[in-house]
Amino acid sequence: MHDRIAKRFVSTSPSDGLQVGGESHQASHPVDIHVGQQLRIRRIHSNLSQTELGQKVGLSYQQVQKYESGKNRISASMLYDIASGLNVPVSCFFEGLPQPGSGEGVIIAPDADERIAYLATVEGRRFVEEILRLPPKLRTRTLAVIRAIAGEEDKAEED
């Protein structure tokens, strides 16, 4: 009896890797991570919380989080629903990826995810909103000040 139960919960299919209880032990595919990052960018750009987007398409905020992190793959139909909910074309989630068959590998910059995560915070959004209120010339000067401060912190860490 235990063998039959175990077989239901364990799959060793070469296409999806070892799964126990439905959870994959393989790392997320770079395309899933990229699509998730694009989803987060588009959601933030639309000024929606994970909860609000989830309500629009019938998901929990936890599921939206998993999609955004690339932990869970987004089905084609769900991607279509999400694109409709965000009022964007489905293709926007794939922008920046190499063409299939081009021989180029998909490279996901780890610091990009950190930047996106910061922009998703209240502080990050407020920071960007305040910067955008400044005239362009003052924005440039503000950026120079930030770079100088960051450079001083880097030097202090080296000492």
Side-chain angles (χ1 to χ4, degrees):
M1 170 111 163
H2 294 301
D3 290 337
R4 279 189 286 158
I5 294 171
K7 285 180 184 174
R8 267 183 57 197
F9 290 105
V10 177
S11 166
T12 56
S13 167
S15 64
D16 61 9
L18 178 66
Q19 291 186 345
V20 179
E23 299 214 9
S24 174
H25 292 284
Q26 291 183 335
S28 297
H29 192 282
V31 172
D32 295 328
I33 294 169
H34 179 84
V35 169
Q37 288 177 347
Q38 295 302 310
L39 169 57
R40 182 179 290 158
I41 290 167
R42 301 299 174 161
R43 177 183 58 77
I44 292 167
H45 185 72
S46 298
N47 205 26
L48 292 174
S49 69
Q50 291 173 332
T51 301
E52 291 167 331
L53 176 60
Q55 288 172 344
K56 280 186 157 203
V57 296
L59 296 171
S60 67
Y61 78 90
Q62 294 98 330
Q63 187 60 47
V64 174
Q65 279 180 335
K66 289 178 182 180
Y67 286 157
E68 288 183 356
S69 70
K71 191 178 262 187
N72 284 11
R73 281 193 175 146
I74 307 173
S75 70
S77 58
M78 182 51 64
L79 192 59
Y80 182 84
D81 289 346
I82 290 170
S84 296
L86 294 173
N87 201 27
V88 297
V90 173
S91 62
C92 78
F93 298 110
F94 299 96
E95 289 175 1
L97 288 174
Q99 287 296 317
S102 68
E104 297 177 46
V106 178
I107 300 170
I108 304 297
D111 58 341
D113 196 40
E114 183 180 339
R115 292 177 194 148
I116 293 167
Y118 177 71
L119 290 175
T121 66
V122 172
E123 179 186 46
R125 285 194 301 264
R126 194 172 9 171
F127 182 78
V128 170
E129 288 167 2
E130 295 300 324
I131 288 290
L132 291 175
R133 288 178 46 187
L134 298 173
K137 194 170 188 174
L138 194 51
R139 276 188 232 157
T140 303
R141 290 180 181 162
T142 304
L143 179 59
V145 170
I146 291 170
R147 284 183 175 151
I149 292 169
E152 289 174 17
E153 286 185 12
D154 290 343
K155 285 181 184 176
E157 288 177 5
E158 290 174 2
D159 295 335

